């Protein structure tokens, strides 16, 4: 552009320009986001305790944080029911559901390739030339 000083972000200075999917990866592939979205997609609307039980090892604090972030990102909807006792439910939104094909592709890739990854890790870990004191 005319008048451009060339001092704006570039692919070498801005990671999101270097890899345009990095913002999506930050949103979707944090440690607990995928299991939360997967559970809500496959099992439907869930109360907090049900969701925590289905996921298993997530702490209440982390689940609360991730649900708030997913709600902020528009991937999860929180519904408060003013009853006694109060009831809160979470469900995946249409935007969250739009990630289903991505998860399906990842599941297919995992089924076809995770054994190869495990073999590569084993080979790497047992290769004596890759000892703790080897150079990179």
């Amino acid at each position: 552009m005319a008048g451009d000083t060339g001092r704006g972000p570039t692919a070498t200075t801005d990671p999101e320009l270097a890899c345009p999917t990095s913002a999506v990866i930050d949103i979707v592939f944090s440690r607990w986001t995928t299991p939360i979205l997967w559970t809500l997609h496959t099992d439907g609307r869930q109360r907090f305790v049900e969701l925590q039980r289905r996921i298993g090892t997530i702490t209440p604090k982390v689940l609360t944080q991730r649900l708030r972030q997913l709600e902020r990102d528009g991937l999860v909807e929180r519904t408060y029911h003013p009853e006694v006792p109060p009831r809160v439910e979470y469900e995946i939104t249409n935007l969250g559901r739009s990630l289903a094909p991505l998860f399906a592709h990842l599941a297919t890739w995992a089924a076809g390739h995770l054994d190869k990854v495990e073999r590569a890790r084993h080979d790497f870990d047992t290769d004596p030339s890759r000892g703790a004191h080897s150079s990179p």
Side-chain angles (χ1 to χ4, degrees):
M1 280 194 286
D4 186 4
T5 62
R7 296 180 190 228
T10 66
T12 57
T13 61
D14 185 345
E16 289 196 21
L17 291 176
C19 179
T21 62
S22 63
V24 174
I25 290 169
D26 287 345
I27 293 167
V28 177
F29 296 110
S30 74
R31 169 66 179 102
W32 292 107
T33 297
T34 305
I36 291 168
L37 291 175
W38 185 276
T39 301
L40 291 173
H41 179 73
T42 57
D43 298 323
R45 180 181 298 139
Q46 301 279 309
R47 294 179 74 171
F48 184 91
V49 174
E50 295 169 323
L51 187 57
Q52 183 183 13
R53 200 174 303 130
R54 287 183 192 272
I55 294 171
T57 57
I58 192 169
T59 66
K61 177 184 176 186
V62 171
L63 181 56
T64 298
Q65 291 170 340
R66 294 311 311 147
L67 284 168
R68 284 185 184 150
Q69 184 63 48
L70 290 168
E71 185 179 8
R72 181 175 181 257
D73 292 338
L75 302 175
V76 167
E77 183 176 343
R78 178 183 185 268
T79 304
Y80 174 79
H81 301 278
E83 326 175 319
V84 177
R87 183 169 49 106
V88 177
E89 295 177 316
Y90 297 90
E91 64 184 310
I92 195 166
T93 63
N94 286 335
L95 182 60
R97 269 188 217 87
S98 72
L99 293 166
L102 173 64
F103 289 139
H105 284 293
L106 288 172
T108 300
W109 185 90
H113 295 87
L114 279 183
D115 61 328
K116 295 174 184 96
V117 171
E118 288 301 319
R119 254 184 308 207
R121 287 176 178 170
H122 177 269
D123 292 349
F124 182 93
D125 292 345
T126 58
D127 182 350
S129 69
R130 298 203 180 266
H133 301 291
S134 297
S135 326

